């Protein structure tokens, strides 16, 4: 299995959405995980709402702390974009893709929908870059 790692600081929004979209579209032989350098206590409720609107239930998702083991086991790591430069995963992981997606924290549902749709497109494009069929 090739693990794809999505990271951000709190693992409460962007990386959780990316993980959920990757799980929805992922080809055989791949799996997704998300984690953060300073995980929040819960996934952002507006993110839950925005994802539920399109039929993706994330109720069981919990923010996770990024570990060296998770990094070592990952084929590709994708940073969602950082505001907190001191805790940014880019500082801890080499060979990371940086998507520079806006943080949904503190944003309205309308703004989170835009972020959600950007993440979905980026995930689909990533999977297409593997030259495999998506479901």
């Amino acid at each position: 299995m090739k693990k794809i790692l999505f990271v951000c600081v709190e693992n409460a929004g962007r990386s959780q959405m990316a993980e959920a979209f990757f799980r929805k579209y992922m080809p055989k032989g791949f799996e997704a995980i998300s984690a953060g350098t300073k995980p929040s206590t819960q996934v952002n409720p507006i993110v839950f709402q925005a994802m539920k609107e399109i039929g993706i239930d994330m109720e069981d998702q919990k923010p996770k702390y990024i570990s060296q083991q998770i990094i070592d086991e990952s084929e590709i790591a994708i940073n969602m974009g950082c505001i907190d430069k001191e805790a940014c995963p880019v500082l801890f992981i080499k060979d990371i893709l940086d998507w520079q997606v806006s943080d949904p924290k503190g944003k309205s549902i309308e703004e989170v929908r835009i972020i959600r749709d950007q993440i979905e497109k980026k995930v689909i494009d990533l999977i297409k870059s593997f030259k495999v069929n998506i479901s």
Side-chain angles (χ1 to χ4, degrees), residues 85-105:
K85 296 297 181 195
E86 290 180 8
C88 186
V90 170
L91 300 174
F92 309 104
I93 306 172
K94 62 180 177 122
D95 301 327
I96 190 167
L97 298 175
D98 196 347
W99 282 358
Q100 292 299 314
V101 175
S102 295
D103 190 345
K105 187 176 184 176

Side-chain angles (χ1 to χ4, degrees), residues 4 6 14 18 22 77-81 96-102 118-127:
I4 308 303
F6 298 97
R14 298 167 290 183
F22 196 90
I78 295 132
N79 181 49
M80 303 308 292
I96 190 167
L97 298 175
D98 196 347
W99 282 358
Q100 292 299 314
V101 175
S102 295
Q118 289 171 341
I119 292 171
E120 181 178 28
K121 182 183 181 323
K122 286 181 174 290
V123 167
I124 290 169
D125 289 346
L126 174 69
I127 293 170

Side-chain angles (χ1 to χ4, degrees), residues 26-90:
M26 72 183 165
K28 287 184 177 162
F30 287 84
E31 66 178 284
I33 189 167
S34 66
T37 52
K38 291 182 180 176
S40 182
T41 56
Q42 65 179 22
V43 175
N44 182 332
I46 302 293
V47 167
F48 276 135
Q49 180 184 344
M51 294 298 280
K52 198 163 199 133
E53 288 176 354
I54 59 167
I56 298 176
D57 184 2
M58 293 176 45
E59 291 294 324
D60 294 335
Q61 287 296 102
K62 304 280 185 251
K64 298 167 285 300
Y65 182 76
I66 192 166
S67 68
Q68 190 60 51
Q69 181 178 352
I70 290 172
I71 294 167
D72 292 345
E73 291 175 352
S74 299
E75 186 84 14
I76 297 172
I78 295 132
N79 181 49
M80 303 308 292
C82 286
I83 294 171
D84 182 351
K85 296 297 181 195
E86 290 180 8
C88 186
V90 170

Side-chain angles (χ1 to χ4, degrees), residues 100-117:
Q100 292 299 314
V101 175
S102 295
D103 190 345
K105 187 176 184 176
K107 301 238 178 2
S108 69
I109 185 65
E110 292 80 13
E111 292 169 303
V112 173
R113 287 178 185 130
I114 292 167
I115 294 166
R116 174 200 66 200
D117 296 347

